[in-house]
Amino acid sequence: MPSTIWCPVCGTANREGSKFCNNCGARLEAEEGVRCPMCGHFNPPELEICSNCGARLKPLVAPSGEEETSEPIAESTSEPTGHEPELAEPIGEEKAQEEVAQSITAQQPPSEEYWIGEEEEPPPDLTPPEFAGPGEEVSPEPSPEELDFLPVEEVLPEEKEEIPAGMEEEMPAAEEVPAGVAEAVYPPPSGLLATAAAAGSEQAALFHKIVTQARPTPKALPRPTPARRTEWIIYLAVAVAIIVPLLSGGSLDTGTSISPGARSFYDALNALPAGSKVLIAHDYDPTVAAEMLPQARAILRHLGAQGAKVLSVSLTPQGPALAQQALQDTLAVEGYSYGVDYLNLGYVAGGEAGLRALARGSFFALSRDYLEGKGFAWYAISQGFSSLQNVDLIVVLAGSQDNLRLWVEQIQTPFQKRMVAGVSAQADPAARPYLRSRQIVGLLSGLVGAAEYERITGLPGRASLGVAAQSWGQAALVLLIILGNFAYFLGRKPR
Amino acid sequence: MTPEVVGTWAAAILTLMVFSFLLSDNPLFRLAEHLLVGTTLAYATVVAVQQVLLPRLVTPLAQAPQANWHLFVPLGLGLLLFFKVSRSLSWVGNVSLAFLFGVGAALAIGGGLSSSLLPQVRDTIVSLSPADLGPGTSGLTSALDNLLLVVGTLGTLAYFNFTARSRKSMPQQIVFGLGRGFIMITLGALFANLAISRLSLLLERLQFLLGDWLGLIS
């Protein structure tokens, strides 16, 4: 029996050698190597650059080894300075520390960490300054004698420049402590501490002055870049190309020829006798409703004129509402009766399995209509509708190629049903092979397909007006693409 | 003020809020975006409850549980999915998922094979002789159409076959280039159709703003 690795997060047993937990995805391997300080990725120890983000893993000046340190030490011992206690004038250790501490507290401002502390001011650092290790390149510290010639005012402005304005929001608000309590808890310093506290107070006052000064006014917005201006030219060109034909009321119509797919679609519907049973699938959502609703309206008007009984279903949750909108705009307006001449059966859940249930009739038995929520058998149109075998024609209005493929694969070919399809423009390339193989006998594509159908039936609608504007918009896009390529090749620098 | 007028104004304002993204990303656009996502999810939930769960599961079980005893199986499988919430007991929900994926895969593979793949392969076995396809120019046009279909299909299949080889002979390079050309044309057609689809969406919104809202289009 193979050994297992237990997940440290969820406790699931995983096979030996697994890198991640099968259940929760947690990492099972021990994290080894050098951890990147930027992204946290673990790298092999020999790498100097993180393999994930490219950050440097080792400092540019590596910690010195023994061979590298020998020479600088020799140099430093040959030229003694005031920084090196062991090489300076032989004095006692306590005396040296006291002298250095006095010089620091008198001349050198205390560190930032000290005077921005939250509660207690730490005593000044009395230890001698640490000297740079051999191999590191640092500026030499001034000696106590040299510090005497450096006035405090010359040091402070440098710190002033380093503190950004606006830090007052980041800093915690100082807590107010009653005077008596403060003195009891923090007795007033004396001697060396008093000197340090005085220097700290001075620094705190300076800090307060800096952080409370008025913020600089924000700069004006940058002027638009040439790329941004180009974007606006494109937006305006497309908007003008669409809006002007819309406002012209169809006078700029470029004309629409009838495609063979639209003609055969019309022929299939036109051949239906009165009282034929038609199942129409509204498989689209609002993202493609601009193309699909005009198609649905044109087809439903034609079906109403043919006197067909129309049953509507949808494979998308948003489809029933859009289908109801199309039915209201067409069949309801022209006096057809809901439940007698047409019915919206709503959403078909389950994808492939739902369509198989629809084909075998079990869908109808438990269905309730979208508008009133009553059972399918309650309506007069249900007479004769027990399964897809009773349907004379299936009209699929598919916003995506997947929905059309589902109908063809699960309904048309297995049950040999006659089917026509209207698709959005983006699904058109995938629908063409089904038309060529005669698995669907008619095809409408996008807004152009809707306009074609309006033209065939002689009932012009919004699609006919919109397709003219769309043609001008497409022409504008093509022109912009040509111009963009032209400008690109002209502006390209020769190698 | 009728509900239709309120709805038209709300839709127009939301459309303008989405168009404001042209200026830059801004709170108005984000608000409209979140409203769209929220209402879409809420609507889908209501449809699933009212159109699927209640009429197909809850009501039959409540009215005649003995006659609809078989509905306890999907009810149980559905309840098992709630175990996916727990990390330690999530494996219990895998039973339902296995059932869902198993049935879905069986139907999809069976349908795809018999209804898409085989019919499409059969449709590429076509005559290239103009005499078989019709008289005069129509036969010649159909023959050229069929020739393009055959060359495109074989070239595309060959392209994916020959990409695994490092050294190619001259005939292989020709077929390889043809296949790549057909794939590029197909991708270009897909992209162009997508652009047309989005242009239709913009057009419909402008029709709505200019016609239904402002009344500038009759």
Side-chain angles (χ1 to χ4, degrees):
Chain A
M1 183 178 174
S3 59
T4 55
I5 305 174
W6 298 96
C7 175
V9 178
C10 68
T12 303
N14 295 274
R15 285 185 181 175
E16 186 180 16
S18 300
K19 291 184 177 179
F20 299 97
C21 176
N22 278 332
N23 182 42
C24 68
R27 193 178 184 89
L28 299 175
E29 286 183 320
E31 293 173 335
E32 296 176 347
V34 182
R35 187 176 185 275
C36 173
M38 301 302 292
C39 68
H41 181 70
F42 282 86
N43 297 275
E46 64 272 14
L47 286 185
E48 292 189 354
I49 304 294
C50 175
S51 60
N52 185 40
C53 69
R56 178 167 284 280
L57 300 173
K58 296 175 181 176
L60 282 172
V61 179
S64 57
E66 288 184 8
E67 292 181 4
E68 294 172 350
T69 58
S70 59
E71 192 175 347
I73 287 175
E75 286 179 5
S76 64
T77 51
S78 62
E79 294 178 10
T81 65
H83 300 285
E84 295 137 347
E86 68 275 16
L87 298 176
E89 192 177 10
I91 54 176
E93 186 177 350
E94 293 180 358
K95 185 179 178 184
Q97 286 184 356
E98 187 178 350
E99 282 185 9
V100 172
Q102 284 179 355
S103 64
I104 290 170
T105 52
Q107 303 294 338
Q108 193 173 18
S111 62
E112 289 181 7
E113 292 83 356
Y114 144 52
W115 50 268
I116 62 175
E118 290 185 354
E119 296 180 353
E120 187 177 355
E121 294 180 352
D125 190 5
L126 297 180
T127 57
E130 291 183 8
F131 294 99
E136 292 187 34
E137 195 172 325
V138 294
S139 58
E141 285 282 336
S143 64
E145 291 76 17
E146 289 170 341
L147 287 174
D148 289 336
F149 296 97
L150 290 176
V152 176
E153 289 76 15
E154 290 182 11
V155 179
L156 294 178
E158 293 180 3
E159 290 199 349
K160 178 180 179 180
E161 291 175 359
E162 291 175 1
I163 299 172
M167 276 185 66
E168 67 273 20
E169 293 182 3
E170 306 296 333
M171 299 292 292
E175 296 179 4
E176 291 185 3
V177 181
V181 175
E183 288 175 2
V185 177
Y186 308 109
S190 61
L192 188 61
L193 288 177
T195 308
S201 301
E202 195 175 335
Q203 292 293 329
L206 177 62
F207 177 74
H208 180 74
K209 180 183 176 184
I210 291 171
V211 300
T212 53
Q213 68 185 5
R215 293 186 183 185
T217 56
K219 294 179 181 178
L221 289 173
R223 300 184 67 181
T225 61
R228 190 69 181 151
R229 280 198 293 268
T230 308
E231 282 180 19
W232 276 103
I233 291 172
I234 293 172
Y235 297 155
L236 287 175
V238 174
V240 168
I242 291 177
I243 290 174
V244 171
L246 280 180
L247 295 177
S248 72
S251 60
L252 294 175
D253 192 356
T254 54
T256 305
S257 59
I258 308 300
S259 66
R263 174 64 66 184
S264 54
F265 194 115
Y266 173 80
D267 292 341
L269 265 65
N270 211 38
L272 292 172
S276 299
K277 297 178 179 63
V278 176
L279 182 77
I280 181 165
H282 296 264
D283 299 338
Y284 48 88
D285 56 20
T287 58
V288 286
E291 300 169 87
M292 305 311 296
L293 274 180
Q295 284 187 19
R297 290 192 186 104
I299 293 164
L300 286 171
R301 274 200 295 264
H302 189 199
L303 287 174
Q306 290 292 113
K309 304 287 185 187
V310 178
L311 201 59
S312 173
V313 293
S314 178
L315 292 182
T316 60
Q318 295 89 1
L322 295 166
Q324 191 60 35
Q325 188 179 338
L327 290 168
Q328 292 280 3
D329 292 347
T330 53
L331 299 182
V333 169
E334 294 174 14
Y336 294 95
S337 176
Y338 186 79
V340 177
D341 299 313
Y342 68 100
L343 188 68
N344 186 358
L345 267 184
Y347 176 49
V348 181
E352 290 94 346
L355 283 180
R356 288 297 178 115
L358 183 70
R360 294 200 162 85
S362 57
F363 172 82
F364 295 105
L366 295 174
S367 286
R368 289 187 177 184
D369 78 299
Y370 172 77
L371 195 60
E372 298 176 2
K374 293 175 181 171
F376 177 60
W378 194 86
Y379 293 100
I381 198 175
S382 65
Q383 302 299 319
F385 261 121
S386 60
S387 71
L388 278 190
Q389 296 300 324
N390 311 119
V391 173
D392 298 305
L393 181 71
I394 297 174
V395 180
V396 178
L397 299 177
S400 72
Q401 61 189 50
D402 293 334
N403 288 328
L404 176 60
R405 184 176 51 76
L406 277 180
W407 278 98
V408 171
E409 291 181 353
Q410 304 300 328
I411 299 291
Q412 191 278 324
T413 307
F415 298 96
Q416 290 298 307
K417 297 304 297 182
R418 191 170 170 79
M419 185 180 286
V420 292
V423 296
S424 64
Q426 67 186 29
D428 176 76
R432 293 277 163 193
Y434 292 128
L435 180 65
R436 186 184 174 92
S437 63
R438 304 295 296 169
Q439 289 174 286
I440 54 175
V441 294
L443 179 65
L444 298 181
S445 175
L447 193 66
V448 177
E452 287 175 351
Y453 209 81
E454 287 179 355
R455 180 160 294 194
I456 296 174
T457 54
L459 299 169
R462 291 181 83 161
S464 299
L465 177 62
V467 80
Q470 179 170 291
S471 300
W472 284 101
Q474 290 174 21
L477 281 181
V478 171
L479 190 66
L480 287 168
I481 290 171
I482 293 173
L483 284 175
N485 278 280
F486 195 62
Y488 171 75
F489 283 112
L490 280 183
R492 196 168 60 171
K493 293 179 180 176
R495 291 182 179 179
Chain B
M1 187 174 281
T2 62
E4 287 77 15
V5 174
V6 174
T8 302
W9 272 86
I13 290 169
L14 285 170
T15 303
L16 293 176
M17 286 163 71
V18 173
F19 279 161
S20 70
F21 187 76
L22 292 175
L23 299 170
S24 68
D25 197 357
N26 61 79
L28 291 177
F29 170 75
R30 290 299 179 95
L31 177 63
E33 187 183 33
H34 293 172
L35 275 175
L36 174 68
V37 174
T39 50
T40 303
L41 282 175
Y43 184 78
T45 305
V46 170
V47 168
V49 170
Q50 289 193 343
Q51 295 260 301
V52 182
L53 289 178
L54 286 179
R56 298 184 176 278
L57 185 68
V58 177
T59 306
L61 281 177
Q63 290 177 347
Q66 291 182 342
N68 297 308
W69 61 269
H70 60 280
L71 292 179
F72 282 107
V73 177
L75 175 64
L77 288 172
L79 291 176
L80 287 183
L81 284 174
F82 284 105
F83 282 97
K84 300 301 284 184
V85 179
S86 165
R87 280 187 171 180
S88 57
L89 293 175
S90 66
W91 60 271
V92 181
N94 291 345
V95 178
S96 306
L97 290 181
F99 185 79
L100 279 176
F101 286 124
V103 172
L107 288 171
I109 292 172
L113 194 64
S114 63
S115 306
S116 279
L117 189 60
L118 291 179
Q120 293 304 316
V121 170
R122 190 169 57 236
D123 201 48
T124 57
I125 305 172
V126 291
S127 172
L128 299 179
S129 169
D132 297 339
L133 299 170
T137 315
S138 66
L140 192 63
T141 309
S142 300
L144 281 175
D145 189 31
N146 287 352
L147 182 66
L148 271 179
L149 177 73
V150 172
V151 171
T153 305
L154 293 179
T156 305
L157 290 172
Y159 172 79
F160 288 107
N161 183 33
F162 292 150
T163 46
R165 310 264 179 90
S166 58
R167 297 175 64 86
K168 292 179 283 291
S169 63
M170 182 59 73
Q172 284 177 336
Q173 285 184 1
I174 293 173
V175 178
F176 176 89
L178 273 175
R180 197 167 70 169
F182 273 94
I183 291 172
M184 291 297 112
I185 290 171
T186 306
L187 293 178
L190 286 171
F191 179 72
N193 276 280
L194 188 63
I196 291 172
S197 197
R198 295 298 175 264
L199 202 62
S200 299
L201 198 59
L202 171 67
L203 171 70
E204 192 272 338
R205 282 295 86 192
L206 290 176
Q207 266 185 318
F208 167 76
L209 289 176
L210 297 174
D212 298 336
W213 187 44
L214 298 177
L216 298 176
I217 302 173
S218 58

